Amino acid sequence: MNPKNSWWILVIVSLGVIIPFVVPYFTLDPANSRVSFSSAAIQFPLLVAHIVTACVALIVGFIQFLHPIRMKSPRVHRYLGRVYVSSVIISGILALVYTFYVENFSKATSFLVLSLLWLFTCWMGYRTATRKKIDEHRKWMIRSFGITLVAVSGRLLVPVLLLIYSILNGFTLPEGREAMVENVLNVNIWVGLIANFIIIEWKILKQDSKDS
């Protein structure tokens, strides 16, 4: 498949997955939240701010990797890069704070690891850019954006994980349907993170082999 077509398919799929999830939060009504919390006064504003800045990072990230922007408009690329980095840092820090309110240990750990990796890869991307290490900058920003896309892959993998759960249990639900969904939602972030990293590192290695 043409790389340009693949990129636009990724954009369309990502927006199709994310938009239905984030729209309820723009109403600023805690009753519309898909995530349960104990304190609407504290946790809900943290969650909304995290989601909004993460969406900015996602959209700007897609624009950043467009060839005309990246190669022909360096000033625009640098400006959007600052917006991306700022969005990731704000969203990542908010996610770290919100982690302390997550009661489920598996979910809390996955969000903690995801947030730390997100902040680290983005910082490395920014640092290598300021030091004019362009090749290293490209690699770290690919890694950073790959982690941004875990918000998409983690949700896309839910049906696959539900199927795997059913197969491993002989197409039965020993603990019921709600327990099945809960178990899947406890691991989908981990699986999405691992899957994205494998794809990203494969892409980087493939590009390096072409350049060598």
Side-chain angles (χ1 to χ4, degrees), residues 30 37-48 98 101:
F37 42 78
S38 56
S39 173
I42 298 176
Q43 293 169 249
F44 186 68
L46 280 175
L47 184 62
V48 171
Y98 193 82
Y101 293 99

Side-chain angles (χ1 to χ4, degrees), residues 176-207:
R177 183 173 298 176
E178 291 184 2
M180 175 184 69
V181 174
E182 181 66 21
N183 286 329
V184 165
L185 293 180
N186 286 340
V187 301
N188 70 312
I189 295 298
W190 286 115
V191 178
L193 181 59
I194 293 170
N196 283 20
F197 256 119
I198 291 173
I199 295 170
I200 290 163
E201 294 305 319
W202 172 78
K203 178 178 176 61
I204 291 174
L205 289 172
K206 184 179 179 182
Q207 185 62 47

Side-chain angles (χ1 to χ4, degrees), residues 3-4 6-8 10-11 56-73 76-78 80-81 84-85 88 118 121-122 125 134-149 200 203-204 207:
K4 291 183 179 180
S6 300
W7 182 251
W8 284 111
L10 178 61
V11 172
V56 172
L58 180 70
I59 294 171
V60 172
F62 275 125
I63 298 173
Q64 276 285 81
F65 282 99
L66 291 175
H67 187 269
I69 297 293
R70 187 165 53 89
M71 302 302 295
K72 300 179 181 180
S73 304
V76 175
H77 179 75
R78 287 194 294 269
L80 291 175
Y84 175 82
V85 170
V88 170
W118 200 24
T121 53
C122 184
I134 303 304
D135 187 56
E136 290 299 311
H137 166 68
R138 177 185 63 83
K139 293 176 182 178
W140 281 110
M141 292 311 291
I142 290 174
R143 292 182 179 114
S144 174
F145 192 60
I147 296 176
T148 304
L149 287 172
I200 290 163
K203 178 178 176 61
I204 291 174
Q207 185 62 47

Side-chain angles (χ1 to χ4, degrees), residues 3 5 22 44 61 91 117 124 131 139 146 152 162 169 175 180 201:
N5 293 337
V22 302
F44 186 68
S91 188
L117 287 174
M124 288 300 295
R131 296 186 177 186
K139 293 176 182 178
V152 176
L162 290 172
N169 286 279
E175 299 177 354
M180 175 184 69
E201 294 305 319

